[in-house]
Amino acid sequence: MRKMLAAVSRVLSGVAQKPASRVLVASRNFANDATFEIKKCDLHRLEEGPPVTTVLTREDGLKYYRMMQTVRRMELKADQLYKQKIIRGFCHLCDGQEACCVGLEAGINPTDHLITAYRAHGFTFTRGLSVRAILAELTGRRGGCAKGKGGSMHMYAKNFYGGNGIVGAQGQIFEAYNMAALWKLPCIFICENNRYGMGTSVERAAASTDYYKRGDFIPGLRVDGMDILCVREATRFAAAYCRSGKGPILMELQTYRYHGHSMSDPGVSYRTREEIQEVRSKSDPIMLLKDRMVNSNLASVEELKEIDVDVRKEIEDAAQFATADPEPPLEELGYHIYCSDPPFEVRGANQWIKFKSIS
Amino acid sequence: MAVVAGLTRRPLEQVTVREAINQGMDEELERDEKVFLLGEEVAQYDGAYKVSRGLWKKYGDKRIIDTPISEMGFAGIAVGAAMAGLRPICEFMTFNFSMQAIDQVINSAAKTYYMSGGFQPVPIVFRGPNGASAGVAAQHSQCFAAWYGHCPGLKVVSPWSSEDAKGLIKSAIRDNNPVVVLENELMYGVPFELPPEAQSKDFLIPIGKAKIERQGTHVTIVSHSRPVSHCLEAATVLSKEGIECEVINMRTIRPMDIETIEASVMKTNHLVTVEGGWPQFGVGAEICARIMEGPAFNFLDAPVVRVTGADVPMPYAKVLEDNSVPQVKDIIFAIKKTLNM
């Protein structure tokens, strides 16, 4: 009883301590939703494309804003931890591309399946893992989503198949296109076109940079990947296309990464700082959503600022955990080699060092 | 750095492994216009690990070629070019990515001279970093020495020092056969003294010949690539205890110089092999088998001991990664075990 009273009093005193702006916010009348015009998608082998207007509810808007801001802050925290050498190895950040992972998730169901390459932290989050589990995996701790054994490029979740480190599969993608089309598989092939493959611009690597057309017999869409509403609508359209049994479809999301290819790439030897700055000031996905919401009275600047503060705190807490959590125990070095097998012995650096392997 | 090639050199010059490979490629590009380099980021980016720094600037688009991210595709193009008379150096950003192209390396390059009854040579070099780095986890840490060493038709070298790197890359480029050059990312920045001979533009290290890096009498330690450093460290520690290790740097995986190992074992009577790769079907396993088949077997006073990477996919967490690669302490332990100490 005392505990309950204490809890109740904490909550009440918490409300009283909220800054004055909160009280103002609560009494303002926001719109429930607003309609926005979005860019028309370029179409390949499609008579019609996604709609050019969409309705955004206040609730969804706040949710998307929060998710994008979380991905942004999480990636920037990873940058910081990498520079402090608390994160090691490879680290490919997706700041700038938040509208892609958040917009995609907004257009599909949690029961749909998703797989991606190494720039995967944003997707790992949108597919349902906590920032804590992600950062602790990046720092190689036992609380990480792969128990510290996978690292940046090898994160998995329900209906999320990673996180994959090996690409170089230009031929393989055409094999996949062929089989998906042949068997009418309900598959959306997505290209996050951020203009560069590591240090090589798309013009220097691709005979055709119209990636949305490269599926040939597979219809495609080219989407403004910096506008989360555009990504959501295109995804809804593509998902509906697939679910109706028509077969695969391609989506090219035109987007941009602020960081270099990875933390070992400064990202300025093959593109100019002016270019990066221009994208930041004109096309930042979080800024675009914020402006839309504020200008159509879906939210206030103060409210969004509060979300920023809240997100910062969440990231800080997660980073604390990720730095303080212990590394996985040495005895578990041999675990998880096989699934569903009885325990066996694993050889270490010499024949006298043995580790137990448990499924 | 390519710049160094033009300066007058002092007798004993400190050169990093990266610079040595760069110099070796630069000299061969200059010597023979049929030699060219292709791979991801090798030209305008100066190389993902800066090994090809300055070469594109010096030789241009026709000799230093940036490829799209298509290993199977560009490895195939490189093999075709070799068959048609050019001398390509095909870089894999790491050998982990060579698995995307392994059919071209084995079926198109390695086997062709044999399958054609001696008609069609394939003078190609496949090079890049191999094995564990630091914190790059399971898909980026595999050692391919055993996999490539398994295949007739391929030559496989694994340089340790700058001298090794320079001499072996030059020999590989001049060899008319497909040669796999397994470099090591963690060794790229390590400086070594280059002996005066290594400054000649015709400095070559023969493929198929090991080097005794340290003379000893009590036990033979055989290794390749970065673990050679750990072996020398272990030898220094043990020397203080009166144990003198003979450390052999294999330099070549295939064809293996078993004779140098046998001669050493016939002197020391004890053998420890050290490698970064996995134990099963590995380089150490092959050495054990060959020793048993040859004259040195009867000179062994104890079974051969292998020190290897742990038999697991490379974990990411530091404590686990550290225990998945052979450390100096593991080598010392193995040596003492075989000496029954």
Side-chain angles (χ1 to χ4, degrees):
Chain A
M1 183 62 175
R2 203 187 307 153
K3 270 197 186 159
M4 196 178 77
L5 284 175
V8 167
S9 89
R10 258 201 309 272
V11 167
L12 291 175
S13 58
V15 165
Q17 274 159 21
K18 284 273 191 301
S21 61
R22 175 58 118 168
V23 176
L24 276 174
V25 157
S27 67
R28 257 175 78 165
N29 274 328
F30 289 111
N32 264 334
D33 55 53
T35 305
F36 297 103
E37 273 174 22
I38 52 179
K39 204 160 144 196
K40 186 175 189 301
C41 294
D42 294 318
L43 304 176
H44 169 69
R45 288 189 185 264
L46 285 165
E47 291 297 312
E48 288 171 348
V52 292
T53 61
T54 183
V55 174
L56 176 66
T57 65
R58 176 176 141 77
E59 187 183 341
D60 280 345
L62 290 172
K63 182 173 85 179
Y64 302 155
Y65 181 85
R66 192 192 178 97
M67 282 177 82
M68 287 203 287
Q69 194 66 282
T70 304
V71 173
R72 173 68 58 93
R73 295 264 129 231
M74 178 179 75
E75 295 293 77
L76 294 180
K77 177 56 74 175
D79 169 282
Q80 196 181 44
L81 292 171
Y82 193 92
K83 286 172 177 153
Q84 294 174 300
K85 297 193 199 294
I86 300 172
I87 296 177
R88 310 177 308 128
F90 293 135
C91 192
H92 308 86
L93 301 177
C94 70
D95 49 312
Q97 299 183 200
E98 295 85 357
C100 294
C101 54
V102 178
L104 223 81
E105 192 64 37
I108 59 175
N109 303 326
T111 47
D112 293 324
H113 306 258
L114 197 152
I115 187 170
T116 188
Y118 44 74
R119 203 172 303 283
H121 307 157
F123 287 105
T124 314
F125 174 72
T126 53
R127 284 268 92 188
L129 290 190
S130 66
V131 178
R132 254 180 158 216
I134 296 170
L135 286 184
E137 186 56 37
L138 290 177
T139 56
R141 309 300 165 98
R142 60 183 74 183
C145 53
K147 304 184 165 71
K149 294 171 93 169
S152 168
M153 300 175 288
H154 313 118
M155 299 187 189
Y156 303 82
K158 189 162 197 316
N159 297 326
F160 175 56
Y161 303 85
N164 289 278
I166 309 294
V167 294
Q170 231 174 77
Q172 286 173 32
I173 194 141
F174 290 107
E175 291 181 357
Y177 286 165
N178 183 49
M179 288 187 277
L182 189 62
W183 299 328
K184 284 200 151 46
L185 302 178
C187 192
I188 308 176
F189 292 97
I190 298 154
C191 172
E192 286 177 282
N193 181 1
N194 57 19
R195 309 194 206 170
Y196 301 93
M198 192 164 155
T200 304
S201 68
V202 295
E203 293 79 27
R204 289 206 304 127
S208 161
T209 54
D210 290 337
Y211 294 104
Y212 73 111
K213 292 184 183 169
R214 300 277 299 265
D216 188 10
F217 36 77
I218 298 180
L221 300 167
R222 182 158 57 191
V223 182
D224 179 358
M226 303 306 267
D227 177 356
I228 195 206
L229 297 181
C230 214
V231 176
R232 182 183 74 172
E233 285 316 307
T235 305
R236 282 176 174 167
F237 176 88
Y241 180 93
C242 288
R243 292 191 220 280
S244 69
K246 299 201 186 93
I249 190 169
L250 235 125
M251 274 206 318
E252 177 189 341
L253 307 178
Q254 293 187 301
T255 184
Y256 199 82
R257 53 165 165 79
Y258 294 144
H259 269 85
H261 164 72
S262 71
M263 288 301 297
S264 343
D265 170 31
V268 288
S269 64
Y270 48 88
R271 53 183 192 172
T272 61
R273 289 182 206 274
E274 288 74 42
E275 179 186 283
I276 306 170
Q277 217 5 70
E278 167 135 25
V279 175
R280 250 192 225 282
S281 55
K282 298 214 176 96
S283 318
D284 184 278
I286 299 176
M287 176 191 80
L288 290 179
L289 179 64
K290 176 178 169 186
D291 289 347
R292 271 189 166 140
M293 289 185 67
V294 167
N295 293 340
S296 32
N297 199 29
L298 285 176
S300 72
V301 169
E302 294 79 27
E303 186 177 20
L304 297 178
K305 270 209 177 81
E306 263 183 45
I307 294 180
D308 291 349
V309 167
D310 215 36
V311 166
R312 265 204 165 87
K313 184 167 188 309
E314 182 185 345
I315 307 299
E316 261 323 305
D317 285 348
Q320 285 268 21
F321 172 73
T323 338
D325 201 37
E327 285 190 291
L330 188 54
E331 307 85 69
E332 294 185 14
L333 187 148
Y335 284 18
H336 313 119
I337 294 181
Y338 295 123
C339 174
S340 319
D341 260 22
F344 66 99
E345 224 163 50
V346 167
R347 185 187 160 115
N350 60 48
Q351 74 216 60
W352 300 280
I353 299 174
K354 297 189 206 311
F355 295 98
K356 195 157 180 206
S357 185
I358 297 191
S359 289
Chain B
M1 289 252 298
V3 170
V4 176
L7 300 175
T8 336
R9 301 197 187 113
R10 304 181 306 284
L12 286 173
E13 180 192 20
Q14 287 261 332
V15 164
T16 63
V17 172
R18 172 188 283 118
E19 289 163 353
I21 301 169
N22 187 283
Q23 281 177 24
M25 288 198 290
D26 192 357
E27 287 171 11
E28 295 307 301
L29 283 158
E30 199 175 82
R31 176 180 175 271
D32 184 351
E33 60 180 6
K34 296 198 291 301
V35 177
F36 70 100
L37 171 68
L38 84 167
E40 294 155 9
E41 312 294 354
V42 297
Q44 294 186 23
Y45 196 81
D46 270 340
Y49 298 101
K50 305 302 177 201
V51 176
S52 55
R53 185 189 276 136
L55 296 180
W56 175 66
K57 214 167 168 183
K58 185 170 173 185
Y59 295 101
D61 284 334
K62 276 198 140 28
R63 308 286 298 286
I64 314 291
I65 302 171
D66 273 338
T67 62
I69 305 173
S70 313
E71 277 77 8
M72 179 69 101
F74 69 73
I77 287 175
V79 172
M83 290 180 177
L86 294 179
R87 303 189 77 88
I89 307 167
C90 177
E91 176 179 301
F92 291 120
M93 196 182 281
T94 78
F95 266 95
N96 301 286
F97 309 148
S98 75
M99 281 202 284
Q100 294 286 317
I102 202 160
D103 179 73
Q104 297 290 4
V105 178
I106 306 301
N107 281 327
S108 302
K111 298 177 182 172
T112 296
Y113 193 67
Y114 182 90
M115 294 190 297
S116 66
F119 178 80
Q120 177 64 71
V122 186
I124 188 169
V125 172
F126 296 103
R127 54 157 290 273
N130 173 63
S133 178
V136 295
Q139 292 177 339
H140 290 76
S141 305
Q142 190 168 333
C143 174
F144 288 85
W147 283 28
Y148 288 123
H150 190 56
C151 301
L154 276 186
K155 294 190 182 180
V156 182
V157 298
S158 181
W160 164 63
S161 62
S162 299
E163 184 188 336
D164 290 355
K166 186 166 182 184
L168 287 173
I169 192 77
K170 286 166 74 73
S171 293
I173 293 168
R174 294 191 196 189
D175 201 306
N176 288 330
N177 293 288
V179 183
V180 169
V181 181
L182 302 172
E183 300 161 8
N184 187 292
E185 198 232 311
L186 295 173
M187 292 303 290
Y188 280 154
V190 179
F192 289 85
E193 274 175 356
L194 272 190
E197 325 71 90
Q199 290 163 36
S200 153
K201 293 206 171 170
D202 284 315
F203 168 67
L204 302 171
I205 287 183
I207 294 178
K209 204 84 192 70
K211 181 181 177 204
I212 299 177
E213 298 286 350
R214 184 187 193 281
Q215 302 262 7
T217 46
H218 298 121
V219 56
T220 302
I221 323 293
V222 181
S223 184
H224 73 96
S225 190
R226 184 158 176 264
V228 172
S229 305
H230 300 323
C231 292
L232 289 170
E233 227 181 291
T236 306
V237 170
L238 288 171
S239 184
K240 300 195 184 88
E241 296 177 44
I243 303 170
E244 293 305 327
C245 302
E246 181 144 292
V247 178
I248 299 179
N249 168 14
M250 289 176 73
R251 287 179 158 179
T252 299
I253 304 294
R254 181 177 190 118
M256 188 187 293
D257 179 4
I258 197 66
E259 290 79 19
T260 298
I261 302 173
E262 283 173 332
S264 175
V265 170
M266 290 181 346
K267 184 176 72 171
T268 67
N269 313 117
H270 297 87
L271 177 57
V272 173
T273 69
V274 183
E275 70 200 282
W278 293 316
Q280 299 197 36
F281 308 92
V283 174
E286 176 65 16
I287 293 173
C288 285
R290 298 252 203 131
I291 289 291
M292 283 206 285
E293 292 168 354
F297 173 70
N298 287 314
F299 288 78
L300 282 174
D301 286 347
V304 179
V305 171
R306 295 178 293 161
V307 180
T308 66
D311 202 14
V312 296
M314 185 66 73
Y316 170 65
K318 189 160 200 315
V319 65
L320 300 185
E321 186 185 50
D322 287 347
N323 282 276
S324 298
V325 296
Q327 301 181 51
V328 177
K329 67 168 173 65
D330 301 315
I331 302 170
I332 291 174
F333 186 86
I335 292 169
K336 288 189 169 175
K337 272 282 189 178
T338 200
L339 291 174
N340 207 19
M341 299 175 66

